[in-house]
Amino acid sequence: MAKSSARKTRVPRGEARERIVRAAVEAFAEKGFEAASTRDIAQRAGTDQGLLTYHFPSKDALWRAAADRVFGIFESLDDRLASLEHADPKERSRGVIREFVRLMAKHPEFFRFMVDCGNRTDARQRWLVDTHIKPRFEYMKEHGVARVAGIEEAAVPHAFYALAGAAALIFAVAPNCRRLTGLDPRKPDAIEAHAEFIANLVVP
Amino acid sequence: MAKSSARKTRVPRGEARERIVRAAVEAFAEKGFEAASTRDIAQRAGTDQGLLTYHFPSKDALWRAAADRVFGIFESLDDRLASLEHADPKERSRGVIREFVRLMAKHPEFFRFMVDCGNRTDARQRWLVDTHIKPRFEYMKEHGVARVAGIEEAAVPHAFYALAGAAALIFAVAPNCRRLTGLDPRKPDAIEAHAEFIANLVVP
DNA sequence: CAATCGACTTTTCAATCGACAAGGTTCGGG
DNA sequence: CCCGAACCTTGTCGATTGAAAAGTCGATTG
């Protein structure tokens, strides 16, 4: 001990990698794929850029790891929705929507990932749709609001994007909303107000 | 004539500048501010990067010119809304919403500009909010759906972002929607279907 | 006709990008 | 004890970035 070097005693395996993924999620959500530099991500993670290329063969691979992380947020949603199974249809629909809004508020990075590569047609966009968005879309079609609120088959895409946009936009552009309206959508009160507003919109 | 040089005989003043702004709108909407390079914009406009710095002192200034252009789309909306003045309140609300959705479909770049700098807190975001978004927000508060649909004052920010997100997201991530659902939201049928869906949502 | 100006192109610059190579440090197992 | 593997740092590569300087050329003016 007592070495002059303040070096840490070796962090557990994968600890730095974990920090890198977290920093990547943050940076990609904030700036988009191309504008977020690997050096910026490394700095947020408290390491150097060289370590990124050690843990991930390319920036693209790092982005995919970050996307995996982002879409993992839905696992917590499934548990919460299960507790609503016993409620009556109308109140259950409202509960589902409220939980979805709360999730978007807690993880605005989901919306930003989706929008960032949403109008591209490259491999990254195809990968994101096929591996992450599609399963969620199917899940919503089967267990979501569609059946309860009585939405016909052809309107499902419209409902999907309308709900996602209505629920998430205000949190994805929180500084914008704060400056424009004076309301900070990140505050708990505002989150609940938005959840209630969207629930009233979809299930009056 | 018949010079070997294919040089054009001098285009009218500001013609190239106009092409540059149009190309900038396209590139900024597609990739975001930082990821859109001035050379890419120049190529879309059919000129060189040097001409950009001749017409605009900086990339930031070019972006502001592009933003001015993007928010100019609302002028055409005002005319269309005026023709709805005589309708009864409920049908007028539905008409306003439908026109708004059609506008978002025609100009998805609006939504992308808004989201791209929506979660920053820098000078660009402040400029966009103060010069362009705020007037639109106030306009909607006075003449928009708020009064007709009976939305209380405190819910106006929620309504604003919910409507914007619900109406515009599907068009802003059109390739995403196409791959995910098979529906191309850029087609006229899909646009009308989305307009009808959103109108039914807000004014049942 | 000569001078000049505005519009545009070409060249160049330092800074930064993603990727990679080479070396250093630390730890567990033989 | 030591040795290989895992983890991490440093240095460097060509390519690309925004910006600016310098050069080109047609139209205008005096």
Side-chain angles (χ1 to χ4, degrees), chain A residues 7 9-10 38-39 49 59:
Chain A
R7 190 168 204 76
T9 68
R10 178 48 145 280
T38 54
R39 283 172 176 83
Q49 186 248 3
K59 187 183 180 182

Side-chain angles (χ1 to χ4, degrees), chain A residues 132-170:
Chain A
H132 285 306
I133 303 184
K134 197 148 225 159
R136 274 299 133 189
F137 181 68
E138 300 297 336
Y139 181 90
M140 171 193 151
K141 259 170 81 174
E142 292 187 18
H143 306 88
V145 209
R147 290 192 320 188
V148 181
I151 294 176
E152 61 260 44
E153 180 75 13
V156 169
H158 299 287
F160 180 75
Y161 287 98
L163 176 62
L169 175 61
I170 194 171

Side-chain angles (χ1 to χ4, degrees), chain B residues 20-196:
Chain B
I20 290 172
V21 173
R22 256 201 298 267
V25 168
E26 189 181 306
F28 284 137
E30 190 174 306
K31 306 187 171 183
F33 176 79
E34 301 190 71
S37 74
T38 54
R39 282 172 177 82
D40 175 34
I41 295 173
Q43 196 172 9
R44 291 177 197 241
T47 60
D48 345 291
Q49 186 250 0
L51 190 61
L52 300 211
T53 70
Y54 170 74
H55 281 296
F56 302 94
S58 68
K59 188 183 180 182
D60 227 89
L62 173 57
W63 179 85
R64 281 196 297 272
D68 289 341
R69 170 67 51 94
V70 165
F71 280 78
I73 65 174
F74 285 104
E75 292 177 10
S76 71
L77 184 64
D78 295 343
D79 300 338
R80 286 168 174 259
L81 294 192
S83 70
L84 292 168
E85 280 296 345
H86 52 73
D88 78 298
K90 187 172 174 181
E91 200 50 42
R92 182 177 166 273
S93 293
R94 293 179 57 89
V96 169
I97 300 221
R98 271 197 294 257
E99 287 296 344
F100 181 69
V101 172
R102 292 187 189 113
L103 193 69
M104 294 295 101
K106 194 173 181 183
H107 300 284
E109 62 267 18
F110 164 78
F111 189 76
R112 304 205 125 254
F113 261 74
M114 190 166 156
V115 173
D116 180 43
C117 77
N119 71 337
R120 319 292 299 279
T121 53
D122 54 12
R124 230 172 32 246
Q125 193 257 4
R126 290 194 297 273
W127 178 88
L128 190 72
V129 170
D130 295 344
T131 44
H132 285 304
I133 303 184
K134 196 148 225 160
R136 275 297 132 188
F137 181 69
E138 299 298 336
Y139 181 91
M140 171 193 151
K141 259 171 81 174
E142 293 187 19
H143 306 88
V145 209
R147 290 192 319 187
V148 181
I151 294 176
E152 61 260 42
E153 180 75 13
V156 169
H158 299 287
F160 180 75
Y161 287 97
L163 176 61
L169 176 60
I170 194 171
F171 306 113
V173 296
N176 188 310
C177 176
R178 179 146 164 64
R179 185 171 186 86
L180 178 65
T181 70
L183 172 78
D184 187 347
R186 287 162 294 202
K187 292 190 174 178
D189 291 355
I191 295 173
E192 285 308 308
H194 198 68
E196 193 61 24

